[in-house]
Amino acid sequence: MSFKINVYSPDLTKQIELLKFYPEIAEKHFRPAMEVVVRGLGTFIETMIPVLSGKARAMFKTKVIGKGLNIQGRVGWWGQGQPWYINIVEYGAKPHAIDSYAPGAGVFYSEHPGFAARGFMRTGYRENVGDTVTVLGLAAREVVKDLAVP
């Protein structure tokens, strides 16, 4: 589970073709802005990750990739070996039957009581979306200013 952040602004639509020729302008403003946004969101969410074994918190990561107009920010878990259960913790689980097999002991049936959604990723997004829009909006304005300079 992760959030993926892409930069797109209707205000820049006319300049996109120009930025394809000058990607260093977008890189100059959007990369630092994306790093600020991703770091802030990651720090906020990381403090709210429920801890039982510590594996989920230890494997939580942030990353900014790409260049020019293709910059992306990621916050969460991705790649191989990530904690499979983190989506269940985020969204909760309904009560359900569990059948498990233990070699030599046979099949056991039990009832899992379920648990409420923790919503730490959703809360992190909701609490940070305003800052994200502001920071990336300021970066977009700087790009427009740089494009306006002859």
Side-chain angles (χ1 to χ4, degrees):
M1 171 184 4
S2 65
F3 286 122
K4 180 178 172 183
I5 303 169
N6 291 320
V7 175
Y8 177 78
S9 171
D11 295 338
L12 295 178
T13 303
K14 294 177 184 176
Q15 287 91 11
I16 287 178
E17 289 303 315
L18 185 57
L19 284 172
K20 289 178 182 176
F21 292 106
Y22 302 104
E24 64 276 4
I25 294 173
E27 180 82 17
K28 173 182 169 185
H29 298 291
F30 284 130
R31 179 167 287 279
M34 186 66 77
E35 288 172 356
V36 166
V37 165
V38 166
R39 187 171 40 252
L41 180 58
T43 299
F44 188 92
I45 290 172
E46 189 171 17
T47 63
M48 297 187 334
I49 298 170
V51 177
L52 182 59
S53 70
K55 181 179 180 181
R57 188 172 282 177
M59 298 187 84
F60 180 79
K61 55 190 171 184
T62 62
K63 186 176 187 177
V64 175
I65 59 172
K67 289 186 174 188
L69 291 177
N70 297 313
I71 297 172
Q72 295 181 350
R74 295 192 79 177
V75 176
W77 297 266
W78 62 89
Q80 292 187 348
Q82 298 307 309
W84 59 269
Y85 54 84
I86 204 65
N87 279 345
I88 300 168
V89 175
E90 173 70 10
Y91 297 108
K94 295 178 182 178
H96 58 281
I98 298 175
D99 61 346
S100 57
Y101 177 76
V107 176
F108 297 96
Y109 293 95
S110 62
E111 290 292 322
H112 189 285
F115 58 89
R118 291 293 189 90
F120 56 93
M121 293 288 282
R122 179 179 47 237
T123 300
Y125 173 79
R126 285 181 181 164
E127 291 293 323
N128 285 275
V129 70
D131 291 342
T132 299
V133 170
T134 299
V135 170
L136 294 176
L138 291 171
R141 286 189 195 102
E142 293 303 314
V143 167
V144 171
K145 284 182 190 176
D146 280 4
L147 289 173
V149 176

